[in-house]
Amino acid sequence: MSPKSCLGCTKCFLFLLNLFFFFLGILLLAFSFWVLFDRQSFAAVLGSPLVSLRLCSYGFSGVGMATMLLGFLGCLGALKEVKAMLGLYFGLLLLLFAAQVTVAVIVYTQRATLATKVATYAEELIRGYPAQGPPGDPHESWDAVQQQLGCCGWKGPQDWDQHDDTTRDRDRTIACSCLRAPNSTHNRPWVLPHGRCTTAAPQDIFPRGCKERVQSWLAGNLVTIVGVCIGIGLGELSLLMLSMFLLRNLDSRYEKLLRGL
């Protein structure tokens, strides 16, 4: 294959990949707006608190805009052979890849410290859960975690047992999100409960703590998580190599910028 043909294939491949990422960013951004402006419907269907949906919508917005920006720079830089755009695309992609590697190293080396901080945060949420009245946004998010993972407390249901010796059994309460969904004959979805409920029978409470459930989930999905991370990393490395190859072999005449724009 001649150098010109190789360069043309690289341009075409880089353009198509970034065109895909550009439209993917548009879809993520549109989905984030849908969730943001239709949170009530999503909360009813998914059983998630509004604060969690709001945070998810902001996260999807950020990822969508970043993906659109990278896709736009890669597409236009490859199509019009604009070295400035390709250089900016390479720099942003390299920065993103370096940030991901840094986060992965920090999470792996500081996993014990992070686990301790997560446990402390969860225990503080449980201790601060209001005895009366509606819970706040962080507590609603914890309710969603317990319901979706099917767990109760961080170490177990005993985390909610904060009464003193003078508290009578009938006055003891537990988070309603610790309760299993009732067997209903009606075709109505199970609504995520909030607040405290009177202590129920042991068989009606999730027996396992969220720590154990999270560890079980990570152990069962470790291969998938590692595979996805490696795939994303290899994809980013491929785009970095393609953009660098194109950047080093393009004609340096900048009148292409004026002619194309």
Side-chain angles (χ1 to χ4, degrees), residues 160-174 196-202 205:
W160 292 97
D161 193 15
Q162 301 173 14
H163 61 275
D164 53 33
D165 295 336
T166 62
T167 305
R168 293 171 295 182
D169 289 341
R170 62 184 178 87
D171 295 329
R172 295 172 183 171
T173 59
I174 195 170
R196 287 181 176 268
C197 296
T198 304
T199 303
I205 301 174

Side-chain angles (χ1 to χ4, degrees), residues 36-199:
L36 185 62
F37 292 108
D38 197 22
R39 284 180 290 160
Q40 295 289 347
S41 298
F42 274 87
V45 173
L46 300 178
S48 297
L50 296 182
V51 61
S52 298
L53 293 175
R54 184 170 65 248
L55 293 176
C56 288
S57 67
Y58 292 157
F60 277 118
S61 297
V63 173
M65 288 187 289
T67 306
M68 284 179 61
L69 176 62
L70 284 175
F72 173 77
L73 291 175
C75 282
L76 196 58
L79 184 66
K80 298 297 183 179
E81 300 183 7
V82 182
K83 277 195 169 185
M85 285 189 174
L86 283 175
L88 182 59
Y89 171 80
F90 177 84
L92 290 176
L93 194 59
L94 181 62
L95 182 63
L96 177 62
F97 181 75
Q100 290 172 345
V101 172
T102 303
V103 170
V105 171
I106 291 175
V107 169
Y108 181 77
T109 57
Q110 302 294 323
R111 57 189 183 277
T113 303
L114 292 174
T116 302
K117 290 183 177 180
V118 170
T120 302
Y121 178 72
E123 292 168 357
E124 289 178 353
L125 278 180
I126 293 173
R127 284 196 300 268
Y129 200 97
Q132 295 180 346
D137 288 344
H139 303 106
E140 287 190 7
S141 298
W142 181 251
D143 284 336
V145 170
Q146 292 191 138
Q147 275 291 310
Q148 292 171 2
L149 293 181
C151 57
C152 183
W154 180 244
K155 297 178 182 177
Q158 68 273 10
D159 290 348
W160 292 97
D161 193 15
Q162 301 173 14
H163 61 275
D164 53 33
D165 295 336
T166 62
T167 305
R168 293 171 295 182
D169 289 341
R170 62 184 178 87
D171 295 329
R172 295 172 183 171
T173 59
I174 195 170
C176 298
S177 55
C178 282
L179 304 179
R180 300 179 187 272
N183 294 323
S184 175
T185 56
H186 303 286
N187 293 325
R188 292 182 300 179
W190 168 241
V191 179
L192 177 66
H194 299 300
R196 287 181 176 268
C197 296
T198 304
T199 303

